[in-house]
């Protein structure tokens, strides 16, 4: 459903629309909103065909695997060469990426943090490269943890965090916010990259952090 007026039964607000527009604009791209297709097969096909007239087509579906299976089938029927549709990172699986008529196509989960993470880790680098930028990846720093965290088995994890500049360099505080919380986007300025199978990381350990916002200054933080 659109964001105006009462919410009809069995619908949800398209909150990711605003995340998508703001992030794409930050990356230097010009987003074009094709609207909501709903569950109508013909409407979905029409939106996809319309989207292939642009430099890149991005779509979002519901959070379940059934939603992705449906979208994958629709894209394949329209001739898309699907390169991959699962990645070993958390919490951004699954994701569909492929090419149709020489246009890169991304299909993302509707879950807010997964949506943001795919935008930042996959779509942003692709757009940077397409625009000829030499700075493809986010800036990464080594920072001291202020709280204990744990890795996941078999997948690289990304954890939202607050990064501070201290007298001794960078420190980073993990933010244990549930994945569906939109508050996370305004409360954090970094992503802790946690390698798969690295066990427990303790306060005082150094970790890799991607900077997604200006670090905060706090000379007393250690």
């Amino acid at each position: 459903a659109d964001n105006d007026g009462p919410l009809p039964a069995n619908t949800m607000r398209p909150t990711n629309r605003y995340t998508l527009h703001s992030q794409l604009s930050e990356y230097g791209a010009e987003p074009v909103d094709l609207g909501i297709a709903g569950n109508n097969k013909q409407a979905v096909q029409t939106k996809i065909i319309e989207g292939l007239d642009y430099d890149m087509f991005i779509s979002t579906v519901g959070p379940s695997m059934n939603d992705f299976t449906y979208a994958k089938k629709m894209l394949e029927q329209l001739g898309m060469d699907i390169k991959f549709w699962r990645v070993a990172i958390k919490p951004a699986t699954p994701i569909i990426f492929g090419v149709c008529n020489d246009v890169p196509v991304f299909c993302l989960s509707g879950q807010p943090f997964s949506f943001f993470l795919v935008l930042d880790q996959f779509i942003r680098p692709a757009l940077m490269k397409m625009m000829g930028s030499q700075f493809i990846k986010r800036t990464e720093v080594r920072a001291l943890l202020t709280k204990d965290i744990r890795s996941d088995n078999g997948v690289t994890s990304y954890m939202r965090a607050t990064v501070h500049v201290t007298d001794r360099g960078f420190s980073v505080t993990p933010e244990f916010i549930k994945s569906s919380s939109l508050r996370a986007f305004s409360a954090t300025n970094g992503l802790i990259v946690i390698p798969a199978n690295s066990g427990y990381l303790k306060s005082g350990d150094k970790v890799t952090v991607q900077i997604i916002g200006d670090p905060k200054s706090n000379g007393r933080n250690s």
Side-chain angles (χ1 to χ4, degrees), residues 177-193:
I177 305 171
K178 63 181 181 179
S179 295
S180 59
S181 172
L182 294 178
R183 172 177 168 267
F185 298 116
S186 60
T188 60
N189 58 10
L191 295 172
I192 302 173
V193 183

Side-chain angles (χ1 to χ4, degrees), residues 147-169:
K147 295 180 181 178
D148 297 350
I149 58 176
R150 182 178 62 85
S151 71
D152 284 280
N153 293 328
V155 295
T156 298
S157 299
Y158 292 79
M159 181 175 289
R160 288 161 292 201
T162 301
V163 184
H164 287 86
V165 179
T166 77
D167 294 337
R168 296 189 293 171

Side-chain angles (χ1 to χ4, degrees), residues 43-116:
V44 173
Q45 288 182 335
T46 299
K47 295 292 185 185
I48 294 173
I49 293 170
E50 184 180 355
L52 295 177
D53 285 336
Y54 295 89
D55 296 318
M56 178 184 289
F57 177 60
I58 303 170
S59 178
T60 180
V61 299
S64 74
M65 283 301 299
N66 287 337
D67 296 320
F68 270 87
T69 301
Y70 177 76
K72 182 173 178 287
K73 183 177 180 180
M74 295 278 288
L75 291 165
E76 287 175 329
Q77 288 176 351
L78 290 171
M80 177 173 164
D81 178 14
I82 295 182
K83 303 299 184 182
F84 59 83
W85 68 289
R86 294 189 182 188
V87 289
I89 65 174
K90 185 179 179 180
T93 52
I95 164 186
I96 298 174
F97 169 71
V99 178
C100 190
N101 297 335
D102 295 325
V103 176
V105 178
F106 290 90
C107 189
L108 290 69
S109 168
Q111 198 266 12
F113 185 41
S114 293
F115 184 87
F116 171 81

